[in-house]
């Protein structure tokens, strides 16, 4: 058994970088990796000094999906209540960015779709090849992809199992920023810093409203939004943001 850690965690200022670390297997997800991801995301959400997370793959590729050897041994890399790789059912409360080099396939694409922002190399490839294996993209691919791409483009990916190039993905709005090969992580860090410069309570509340409001009735939209956003307006950080603007300085956030 290898002593290699399946997930590497690095803190840079207020950004947490999580690296899928099985490059010899194109970072295919094992149960151990999924368990490590749950621990990393819980620590990320619980740490008030962290504002943004990044998920990246080691060795020039993002993730080829589920580790099939583990699957054949009955070890599916899905955590109850948390989903594939510990993220697809319950992503973190805070914003998270996928930095994609190489392939993001099957469960790998489903991890990407669980993120809020996507940065990709021009040579990156996305796909849900489950139908080619007699399986189904049950880790969120069937649920999320038709809401991120035009219906017929999404259905082509889902029903053929063929890959979608990064440039076409960006043209349809799936990818936020394209980079040259090898530049996805640096560009993701740059984007993360732009996000992390903002109020941490504002970021969490904004993400929560966007994600939860899809299930709200029209007549209750603003009432339910207010329950989430009113505490932000009443926070110390809101006063700090206004004071910093008036005083022409950078705000010092306390997540309070």
């Amino acid at each position: 058994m290898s002593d290699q850690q399946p997930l590497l965690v690095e803190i840079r200022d207020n950004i947490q970088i999580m690296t899928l670390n099985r490059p010899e297997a194109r970072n295919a997800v094992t149960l151990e990796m999924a368990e490590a991801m749950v621990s990393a995301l819980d620590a990320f959400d619980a740490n008030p000094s962290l504002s943004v997370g990044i998920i990246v793959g080691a060795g020039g590729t993002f993730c080829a999906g589920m580790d099939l050897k583990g699957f054949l041994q009955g070890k599916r890399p899905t955590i109850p209540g948390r989903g594939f790789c510990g993220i697809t059912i319950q992503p973190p409360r805070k914003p998270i960015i996928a930095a994609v080099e190489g392939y993001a396939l099957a469960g790998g694409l489903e991890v990407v779709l669980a993120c809020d922002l996507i940065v990709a190399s021009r040579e990156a490839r996305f796909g849900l090849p489950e139908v080619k294996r007699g399986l189904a993209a049950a880790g969120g691919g069937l649920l999320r992809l038709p809401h991120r791409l035009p219906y017929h483009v999404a259905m082509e990916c889902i029903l053929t199992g063929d890959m979608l190039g990064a440039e076409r993905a960006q043209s349809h709005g799936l990818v936020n920023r394209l980079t040259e090969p090898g530049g996805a992580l640096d560009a993701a860090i740059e984007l993360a810093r732009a996000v992390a410069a903002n109020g941490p309570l504002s970021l969490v509340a904004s993400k929560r409203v966007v994600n939860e409001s899809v299930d709200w009735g029209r007549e209750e939209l603003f009432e339910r939004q207010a329950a989430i956003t009113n505490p932000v307006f009443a926070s110390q950080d809101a006063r700090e943001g206004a004071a910093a603007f008036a005083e022409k300085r950078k705000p010092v956030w306390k997540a309070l």
Side-chain angles (χ1 to χ4, degrees), residues 1 5-9 16 18 20 22 28-44 74-80 82-88 111:
M1 181 178 292
Q5 296 181 43
L7 185 77
L8 304 178
V9 179
Q16 177 167 302
M18 292 154 282
L20 308 177
R22 299 187 69 233
V29 179
T30 61
L31 178 59
E32 292 75 18
M33 184 186 287
E35 291 169 342
M37 181 66 77
V38 168
S39 296
L41 293 176
D42 284 347
F44 168 61
K75 297 171 65 176
R76 292 184 62 182
T78 298
I79 306 300
R82 305 297 286 267
F84 180 81
C85 198
I87 189 174
T88 58
V111 172

Side-chain angles (χ1 to χ4, degrees), residues 145-146 149-160 168 172:
L145 196 64
L149 291 174
Y151 177 82
H152 295 105
V153 177
M155 290 301 284
E156 180 181 348
C157 294
I158 290 166
L159 299 179
T160 67
R168 188 180 179 201
H172 290 302

Side-chain angles (χ1 to χ4, degrees), residues 88-250:
T88 58
I89 292 177
Q90 185 183 319
R93 296 181 303 111
K94 298 174 182 178
I96 195 155
I97 302 171
V100 184
E101 299 276 356
Y103 297 104
L105 301 178
L109 177 52
E110 291 172 321
V111 172
V112 170
L113 293 173
C115 296
D116 304 296
L117 298 165
I118 303 170
V119 175
S121 156
R122 293 183 185 278
E123 295 184 353
R125 296 292 181 267
F126 303 90
L128 294 174
E130 280 85 348
V131 292
K132 294 178 181 289
R133 309 288 182 263
L135 302 172
L142 301 179
L143 300 174
R144 291 189 170 110
L145 196 64
H147 297 285
R148 310 292 176 82
L149 291 174
Y151 177 82
H152 295 105
V153 177
M155 290 301 284
E156 180 181 348
C157 294
I158 290 166
L159 299 179
T160 67
D162 292 342
M163 290 184 284
L164 182 71
E167 294 193 358
R168 188 180 179 201
Q170 189 195 40
S171 74
H172 290 302
L174 182 67
V175 172
N176 295 92
R177 298 186 182 181
L178 282 179
T179 75
E180 295 306 314
L185 179 58
D186 287 343
I189 291 170
E190 179 183 7
L191 180 56
R193 285 174 175 157
V195 174
N198 300 313
L201 298 181
S202 303
L203 295 175
V204 170
S206 296
K207 175 175 176 174
R208 184 180 170 192
V209 170
V210 170
N211 288 332
E212 293 184 13
S213 61
V214 295
D215 298 322
W216 298 348
R218 184 165 185 162
E219 71 287 348
E220 61 180 356
L221 285 173
F222 283 91
E223 180 180 356
R224 295 190 67 169
Q225 175 182 257
I228 296 171
T229 58
N230 282 351
V232 176
F233 283 89
S235 69
Q236 293 181 32
D237 275 357
R239 295 182 62 83
E240 168 62 12
F245 178 80
E247 296 166 10
K248 296 182 172 57
R249 60 174 174 80
K250 291 184 178 180

